[in-house]
Amino acid sequence: MESVTFVVGTGRSGSTALSAILRAHPHVLSLNELFASLMSPERAFPAEPVTGEEFWRLLSRPNRTFDALVRSGVPMGEFLYPRRPGRYSADGTGIPLLCMMVLPHLTDDPDGLLDELGPRIVPWPRRPAAGHFAAFFRLLRDRFGRRAVVERSGYSLRWVPHLHRAFPRARFVHLHRNGPDCAVSMSRHIGYRKIMLVTEALGIAGVASSSQLTERHLAALPPRLAGLFADRFDPALVLDADLPLVRFATLWSQMIDEGVAALADIPADRRTSLSYERLLADPDRELARLAAFAGLDVPPGWPAAARGILDPARRDLAGRLTPRERAELDAACAPGARALALALASGNGAD
């Protein structure tokens, strides 16, 4: 599909704001957190072709992890559906995957749009999942009268090889942010805090994913970790956990290092980068560059709308740390910062 662009990054780098900015562009279908909702590339792109009914089931079934956060009283700020709930609930049937973050970004009636999409998608023929996603993008693009599709998910650098394989002609924008600031933001975010704890639990259990955990694994975990996998958990397990900032800085470095390597495999004319700091400092210039890369114009009023969405107060979060904390954070971020600087210098995206 020629008209699709993926915005990828570590998350906590201004990507939610960028989705809102893209939604304000009259020619863009802004797909918000679609692949983040699917959780893993293996789930989104199964090895064997799937029917339309199977693809629809993938998109419409509840995300158990997200529902557990809602039930536990700690929904992520990115969850749009619980703010104006419809006929689904985390306590009842579960909230359909598309309804949590994707459809409410497009319409004030996500339930109605979900009802509209199902009968259109279920009859689709058996084919690889990539073909279904391309058709899904076209369906929504035409439904909303847009020209181009931009999908943006947080925590998405790990998806780059899979998305490039599924959409070899797609464009990629690497949205990045200063590492220490990004690490501080991650440390305050319920989703990234839980990622840290779940990763620790999987390491203890010796399995690769939560789906592989058995009752025996859970019984062997310390209570502060085992409790996270309940359908409803004590929020204090996440909110009050002792998680040093350097762990988030290390996560940022690892994601950047692996992500820029994956982006380097994409043809140079199909990738670029966007600095969050530069976007805050000069939104008109950076959005014009982004629009040109995605094959779009800059309509009147769009840059002004963007300036109303961006929050300059989010600059220099790490500047509020003590000198010792900042030094530790800088050291942990250094490998990722070097990889990013090298990639930009060598032409892995314009910056």
Side-chain angles (χ1 to χ4, degrees), residues 33-257:
E33 305 279 16
L34 172 62
F35 288 105
S37 300
L38 291 162
M39 301 296 283
S40 75
E42 294 74 23
R43 183 177 299 176
F45 299 107
E48 298 299 322
V50 295
T51 65
E53 183 176 6
E54 290 168 331
F55 180 70
W56 179 242
R57 194 178 306 129
L58 174 72
L59 297 182
S60 59
R61 66 187 178 191
N63 182 311
R64 293 180 58 189
T65 299
F66 290 170
D67 279 351
L69 288 169
V70 175
R71 281 193 297 270
S72 303
V74 282
M76 294 194 297
E78 293 84 353
F79 292 172
L80 301 177
Y81 192 87
R83 299 182 196 176
R84 43 178 194 273
R87 66 174 180 264
Y88 301 102
S89 73
D91 286 314
T93 57
I95 299 171
L97 181 149
L98 282 179
C99 283
M100 188 68 86
M101 297 185 285
V102 181
L103 299 187
H105 186 72
L106 299 174
T107 175
D108 290 333
D109 182 19
D111 291 351
L113 183 54
L114 188 79
D115 292 343
E116 179 184 333
L117 292 173
R120 301 283 300 276
I121 293 173
V122 167
W124 285 353
R126 183 182 297 274
R127 58 186 164 186
H132 283 298
F133 278 112
F136 179 58
F137 294 165
R138 288 192 293 268
L139 175 61
L140 285 176
R141 181 195 63 191
D142 295 345
R143 164 67 171 74
F144 286 94
R146 304 303 172 101
R147 297 179 191 168
V149 176
V150 182
E151 195 281 338
R152 193 283 313 168
S153 288
Y155 197 49
S156 53
L157 276 175
R158 63 199 176 106
W159 285 78
V160 169
H162 307 274
L163 295 174
H164 180 48
R165 186 161 52 247
F167 304 96
R169 299 297 298 165
R171 300 178 178 93
F172 286 80
V173 178
H174 178 199
L175 178 62
H176 56 86
R177 182 183 191 180
N178 172 271
D181 287 348
C182 201
V184 171
S185 184
M186 287 177 179
S187 74
R188 300 171 179 174
H189 187 271
I190 186 72
Y192 284 87
R193 292 181 67 83
K194 192 176 181 198
I195 285 170
M196 282 292 182
L197 294 166
V198 168
T199 300
E200 181 182 350
L202 297 180
I204 293 172
V207 297
S209 71
S210 300
S211 63
Q212 296 175 305
L213 288 172
T214 65
E215 290 299 323
R216 180 176 61 81
H217 289 132
L218 293 174
L221 289 174
R224 66 180 180 85
L225 296 176
L228 296 171
F229 299 95
D231 286 340
R232 188 189 301 268
F233 59 85
D234 181 355
L237 293 175
V238 179
L239 298 176
D240 297 342
D242 181 17
L243 294 171
L245 270 175
V246 292
R247 290 181 61 181
F248 296 94
T250 300
L251 174 64
W252 179 86
S253 271
Q254 290 171 342
M255 284 194 286
I256 290 291
D257 193 38

Side-chain angles (χ1 to χ4, degrees), residues 286-300:
E286 294 304 303
L287 290 176
R289 189 170 64 81
L290 175 62
F293 174 75
L296 298 163
D297 59 1
V298 179

Side-chain angles (χ1 to χ4, degrees), residues 272-290:
T272 191
S273 68
L274 178 62
S275 159
Y276 179 54
E277 288 77 18
R278 291 191 181 185
L279 181 61
L280 289 176
D282 193 351
D284 291 20
R285 176 184 179 277
E286 294 304 303
L287 290 176
R289 189 170 64 81
L290 175 62

